[in-house]
């Protein structure tokens, strides 16, 4: 039985995000932190309160029909029942044996929502708009729904979307995050600046964490590709030897004569 080295699957070796992801994430976190300090300095009338009030007026209604259904679905997705989505993605990673990716997703999702978003909520404690249409907790700044949406978009893009398809994923994820931001203001649950800061905080946390853990995630991907390649090589049939018939003797020459 002969041994043949197994070539890895086609395609470039996986790698972590570039330095641009780190810089973009830090900028987003910085903007969210700066906005938090500005709002905290004057809760009653921050510099962008006029824009927030004007936008809220545009979201006056009527609150029914297709818009109501879309806002209700997005409210469910970002609320406690929507935790089934990240839990389902976590289960997918565990079933694939991607333990590093699963730990990364769980840690960043919990850290981003509990430490960063809730930390900013308790730091700022901004009053919400009057008469929200859904049940809300304390603190309007930042929007937890917008933060969770942006955070999940980056995590899924980093862990489950092939690099060649990420551009389309980022575009779709940006549209989804903007829809979540709209829904929170349409439901009068947040000011517009709350949703912008929430989206910036969620995406920023995920991008910085992705850059920091990029080598470990890339190493796990390389090991997974090696295991798949080894399994494919072990399953491939071995080449078998083929017996060819011996060449026939020529009979078209003169017959041998006996002495």
């Amino acid at each position: 039985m002969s041994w043949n080295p197994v070539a890895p699957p086609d395609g470039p070796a996986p790698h972590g995000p570039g330095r641009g992801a780190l810089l973009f994430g830090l900028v987003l976190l910085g903007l969210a932190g700066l906005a938090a300090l500005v709002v905290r300095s004057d809760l009653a009338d921050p510099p962008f309160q006029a824009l927030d009030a004007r936008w809220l007026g545009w979201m006056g209604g009527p609150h029914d029909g297709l818009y109501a259904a879309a806002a209700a679905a997005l409210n469910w997705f970002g609320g406690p029942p929507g935790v089934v989505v990240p839990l389902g993605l976590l289960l997918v990673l565990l079933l694939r044996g991607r333990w590093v990716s699963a730990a990364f997703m769980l840690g960043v999702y919990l850290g981003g929502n509990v430490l960063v978003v809730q930390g900013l909520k308790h730091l700022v404690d901004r009053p919400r708009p009057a008469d929200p249409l859904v049940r809300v907790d304390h603190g309007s700044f930042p929007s937890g729904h917008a933060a969770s949406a942006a955070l999940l978009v980056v995590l899924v893009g980093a862990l489950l979307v092939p690099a060649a398809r990420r551009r389309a994923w980022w575009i779709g994820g940006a549209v989804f995050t903007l829809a979540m931001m709209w829904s929170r203001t349409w439901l009068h649950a947040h000011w517009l600046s709350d949703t912008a800061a929430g989206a910036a905080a969620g995406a920023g946390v995920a991008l910085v964490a992705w850059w920091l853990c990029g080598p470990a995630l890339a190493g796990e991907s390389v090991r997974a590709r090696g295991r798949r390649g080894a399994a494919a090589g072990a399953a491939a049939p071995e080449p078998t030897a083929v017996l060819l018939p011996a060449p026939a003797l020529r009979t078209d020459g003169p017959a041998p004569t006996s002495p």
Side-chain angles (χ1 to χ4, degrees), residues 97-111:
R98 295 176 57 181
W99 306 102
V100 175
S101 297
F104 170 78
M105 182 173 186
L106 180 62
V108 176
Y109 189 81
L110 291 179

Side-chain angles (χ1 to χ4, degrees), residues 43-75:
L43 292 176
D45 190 21
F48 34 76
Q49 183 61 44
L51 175 61
D52 283 342
R54 186 178 301 114
W55 179 268
L56 191 67
W58 293 340
M59 299 290 104
H63 293 86
D64 54 15
L66 182 61
Y67 292 138
L74 291 168
N75 181 65

Side-chain angles (χ1 to χ4, degrees), residues 122-209:
H122 284 83
L123 173 68
V124 178
D125 200 20
R126 184 186 191 184
R128 291 182 183 267
D131 303 320
L133 302 179
V134 290
R135 180 178 297 178
V136 294
D137 59 5
H138 79 94
S140 183
F141 184 97
S143 167
H145 281 64
S148 296
L151 181 67
L152 201 59
V153 164
V154 176
L155 288 178
V156 173
L159 299 177
L160 295 172
V161 178
R165 301 178 182 176
R166 278 185 185 145
R167 178 174 296 182
W169 174 259
W170 299 140
I171 295 173
V175 172
F176 171 72
T177 304
L178 289 172
M180 182 65 79
M181 294 168 59
W182 161 82
S183 73
R184 303 312 290 162
T185 58
W186 192 82
L187 292 170
H188 291 195
H190 286 282
W191 305 102
L192 178 63
S193 56
D194 301 337
T195 64
V205 167
L207 287 170
V208 172

